[in-house]
Amino acid sequence: MIGPDTAGIAERLGVAADTATAIGQLAAETGLDADAAYAVQTALIQRRLDRGERLVGLKMGLTSKAKMAQVGVDEVIWGRLTDTMRVADGGSIDVSAFIHPRVEPEVAFLLDRLPELGEPVGDFTDAVRAVAPAIELIDSRYANFTFSLPDVIADNTSAAAFVIGPWSPVPDGLENLGVLLEIDGRVAQVGSTAAILGDPRRALDEGIRLAGRHGVRLREGWVFLAGAATAAVPLRPGAHVRAVVEKLGTASLGASA
């Protein structure tokens, strides 16, 4: 039996991202399941690496009930981050380079060592050099931001860009810190780090486990985005976005036309 055309699907998704052109869902048409979708994701990222980008970390997706409900998917997933996705804190991004960008507040970890697979949350805290408030910009390549689980996995979990605020030591109470997402100075979303699998450190544990299934291990110095603490909000031209995480500070992003 011939499986899905991994390279062909990755190329379609890559061109959609490069040209900011939405495409239809692919999984039903191509017979893509979750495992095959991660193979597509690998090929999609390799396409970026072949043009000079570097892997700088991993990200989790759908780690909160709010995000699962928003997109109609109910399984935690992971994707990859490259250096060209990173935007400086306080920097600006051209929204015309994306199809239907959305922003969400997150918690980021900076890895000091490689955590072992299955290492308990309480033990691998010393693997994290620092923690920071973050903003992730997501942009599904599918029309109407609608997809199945294999579709979004193949699309590198809708990864598009990210901002990291100032790094600081991991504070006490990380499992329940208040989170705000502000758009143009007004609160758009309110949440807690508890929405990230009950504790953002659990997201790191899940990331190690899930990526490990596909032969991917986290590296020292990588960034790890633990997942959104609230539902995502559409990013419009001219908007100013700020994520505020209690005890951690803020990260901000401007959107140009």
Side-chain angles (χ1 to χ4, degrees):
M1 180 177 178
I2 299 175
D5 177 10
T6 298
I9 297 170
E11 182 66 16
R12 289 170 70 179
L13 286 165
V15 170
D18 292 344
T19 61
T21 305
I23 60 175
Q25 294 182 47
L26 299 171
E29 168 193 336
T30 60
L32 205 61
D33 62 14
D35 284 339
Y38 277 114
V40 172
Q41 183 189 121
T42 297
L44 181 64
I45 292 299
Q46 188 60 51
R47 186 178 182 273
R48 300 181 73 119
L49 301 182
D50 288 345
R51 60 192 188 195
E53 298 182 37
R54 292 183 299 107
L55 274 176
V56 295
L58 296 186
K59 56 152 289 188
M60 298 300 287
L62 308 178
T63 52
S64 74
K65 290 182 180 179
K67 281 305 301 298
M68 289 182 183
Q70 188 176 32
V71 300
V73 174
D74 60 1
E75 183 174 316
V76 175
I77 56 178
W78 64 278
R80 300 171 228 212
L81 304 172
T82 73
D83 58 330
T84 64
M85 296 179 187
R86 186 161 184 172
V87 179
D89 186 20
S92 183
I93 198 160
D94 180 2
V95 294
S96 69
F98 305 98
I99 301 166
H100 29 214
R102 299 177 179 179
V103 287
E104 52 194 28
E106 301 215 7
V107 169
F109 293 122
L110 181 62
L111 300 184
D112 202 26
R113 67 170 173 84
L114 179 65
E116 294 298 325
L117 294 176
E119 190 173 347
V121 168
D123 293 342
F124 71 55
T125 299
D126 66 344
V128 175
R129 184 183 311 169
V131 64
I135 298 168
E136 187 182 6
L137 187 154
I138 56 174
D139 185 37
S140 174
R141 269 51 74 165
Y142 302 112
N144 302 315
F145 224 108
T146 303
F147 42 74
S148 67
L149 184 68
D151 281 314
V152 68
I153 291 170
D155 190 28
N156 194 32
T157 67
S158 304
F162 65 97
V163 176
I164 305 291
W167 295 106
S168 60
V170 180
D172 293 335
L174 183 62
E175 70 279 4
N176 190 22
L177 302 179
V179 177
L180 298 177
L181 181 66
E182 298 176 350
I183 307 293
D184 295 330
R186 296 182 178 180
V187 175
Q189 292 283 335
V190 177
S192 165
T193 56
I196 306 170
L197 295 181
D199 185 331
R201 290 168 293 191
R202 288 194 186 124
L204 179 54
D205 195 33
E206 282 290 285
I208 294 165
R209 182 179 66 83
L210 294 173
R213 284 184 185 173
H214 297 272
V216 177
R217 298 196 69 192
L218 283 71
R219 303 177 190 174
E220 179 183 346
W222 270 14
V223 167
F224 182 88
L225 294 181
T230 73
V233 174
L235 180 64
R236 296 181 176 83
H240 182 267
V241 181
R242 192 169 79 128
V244 184
V245 183
E246 182 184 0
K247 296 185 179 181
L248 300 184
T250 67
S252 64
L253 170 70
S256 61

